[in-house]
């Protein structure tokens, strides 16, 4: 696993972002961060080293966890034992059963993706991730700089390691589900999170073009319908 600081300015708040399969920092470059640092975890070919959240807690007044897609499962696996250090944890378009016929992506779909993975199939996957013109522009202008072989190896590892944990064990305090997710079916996500009262948003599997900053995203996830005020991140939330 790799870690990359998307923003690091010694702010009072930290967002730990567990990225999705096959991704890197490029699709998230448009997201600004004025009142928080952002540490991105990605490339799950190995699930180590895991950041020491207890140590980071000594440097930040607030720590938030954001998991997207396969990163929802990865975040649960890595940080469930230290959940008390997070002010909030947000799952975006993912579940704790990412490879599952009812609660995630069907196993046959994952197997077919792995078997037929190529430049052409990857391009089609990227298009399925973005269900509106603006999201497609943001993503396609900042495609991940990942090799086909690296992405394929990562998916092979995920197929071997992904398990299925019940929603009752979730460390996530909030779940966001896109209404037009063509990668991890919206209905499967809603079925998994049904007891958690998930927030349904308009969009596809990649929804991050909807917000100009990480602070705006957190506000939308935790207090939907409110504006992001000035001041500290804690005051904003």
């Amino acid at each position: 696993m790799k870690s990359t600081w998307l923003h690091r300015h010694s702010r009072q708040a930290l967002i730990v972002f567990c990225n999705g399969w096959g991704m890197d920092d490029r699709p998230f470059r448009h997201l600004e961060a004025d009142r928080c640092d952002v540490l991105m975890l990605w490339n799950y070919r190995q699930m180590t080293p895991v950041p020491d959240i207890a140590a980071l807690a000594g440097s930040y007044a607030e720590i938030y966890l954001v998991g997207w897609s396969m990163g929802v499962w990865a975040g649960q696996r890595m940080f469930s034992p230290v959940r008390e250090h997070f002010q909030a944890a947000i799952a975006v378009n993912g579940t704790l059963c990412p490879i599952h016929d009812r609660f995630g992506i069907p196993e046959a779909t994952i197997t077919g993706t792995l078997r037929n993975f190529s430049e052409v199939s990857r391009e089609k996957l990227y298009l399925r991730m973005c269900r509106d013109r603006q999201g497609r522009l943001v993503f396609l202008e900042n495609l991940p700089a990942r090799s086909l072989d690296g992405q394929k190896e990562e998916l092979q590892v995920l197929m071997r390691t992904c398990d299925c944990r019940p929603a009752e064990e979730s460390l996530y305090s909030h779940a966001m589900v896109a209404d037009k997710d063509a990668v991890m079916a919206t209905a499967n996500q809603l079925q998994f999170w049904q007891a958690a009262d998930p927030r349904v948003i308009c969009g596809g599997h990649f929804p991050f073009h909807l917000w100009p900053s990480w602070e705006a995203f957190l506000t939308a996830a935790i207090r939907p319908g409110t504006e992001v005020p000035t001041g500290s991140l804690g005051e904003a939330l």
Side-chain angles (χ1 to χ4, degrees):
M1 183 172 63
K2 297 184 179 182
S3 62
T4 301
W5 286 95
L6 301 182
H7 301 276
R8 193 178 192 183
H9 304 289
S10 299
R11 306 301 191 194
Q12 289 189 336
L14 170 67
I15 296 173
V16 178
F17 173 50
C18 296
N19 209 341
W21 161 67
M23 296 292 110
D24 61 14
D25 62 301
R26 290 176 56 84
F28 304 91
R29 289 181 176 179
H30 72 286
L31 284 169
E32 299 178 356
D34 297 324
R35 298 189 298 278
C36 64
D37 292 346
V38 183
L39 176 63
M40 180 189 74
L41 307 179
W42 58 290
N43 197 340
Y44 304 116
R45 286 185 284 187
Q46 294 181 342
M47 294 299 291
T48 56
V50 177
D52 189 340
I53 297 300
L56 288 170
S59 302
Y60 292 95
E62 307 161 1
I63 302 180
Y64 298 87
L65 176 66
V66 178
W68 171 55
S69 190
M70 287 284 187
V72 173
W73 169 85
Q76 175 76 19
R77 173 167 171 165
M78 289 187 286
F79 300 121
S80 183
V82 293
R83 64 180 69 197
E84 68 274 9
H85 291 294
F86 296 107
Q87 270 63 41
I90 302 121
V92 183
N93 287 341
T95 73
L96 307 188
C97 302
I99 303 176
H100 195 280
D101 289 351
R102 292 175 56 213
F103 300 136
I105 302 173
E107 185 173 352
T109 300
I110 295 288
T111 301
T113 298
L114 185 60
R115 182 175 59 248
N116 301 311
F117 201 52
S118 65
E119 290 283 3
V120 173
S121 64
R122 179 169 66 174
E123 182 177 343
K124 291 180 179 178
L125 173 63
Y126 288 163
L127 291 175
R128 286 202 307 275
M129 290 171 57
C130 310
R131 302 301 289 177
D132 60 84
R133 182 176 180 274
Q134 185 58 34
R136 190 167 295 160
L137 286 174
V138 169
F139 190 84
L140 295 183
E141 288 178 359
N142 299 278
L143 290 175
R146 294 284 304 274
S147 69
L148 281 171
D149 288 342
Q151 290 174 316
K152 187 173 183 178
E153 183 179 341
E154 184 183 0
L155 188 57
Q156 289 172 329
V157 171
L158 288 169
M159 285 191 67
R160 293 195 303 266
T161 57
C162 281
D163 56 2
C164 179
R165 311 304 304 175
E168 292 76 17
E169 295 183 10
S170 173
L171 67 82
Y172 293 97
S173 55
H174 301 75
M176 302 179 75
V177 178
D179 63 348
K180 298 178 180 65
D181 196 323
V183 175
M184 186 176 293
T186 300
N188 286 14
Q189 294 183 57
L190 292 176
Q191 187 170 6
F192 180 83
W193 294 114
Q194 58 182 333
D197 190 25
R199 182 188 174 201
V200 178
I201 59 174
C202 295
H205 192 65
F206 178 82
F208 291 94
H209 65 289
L210 297 173
W211 304 283
S213 68
W214 286 100
E215 293 89 352
F217 163 77
L218 281 182
T219 300
I222 297 173
R223 290 187 178 177
T226 63
E227 296 294 330
V228 182
T230 58
S232 72
L233 186 61
E235 292 171 352
L237 300 176

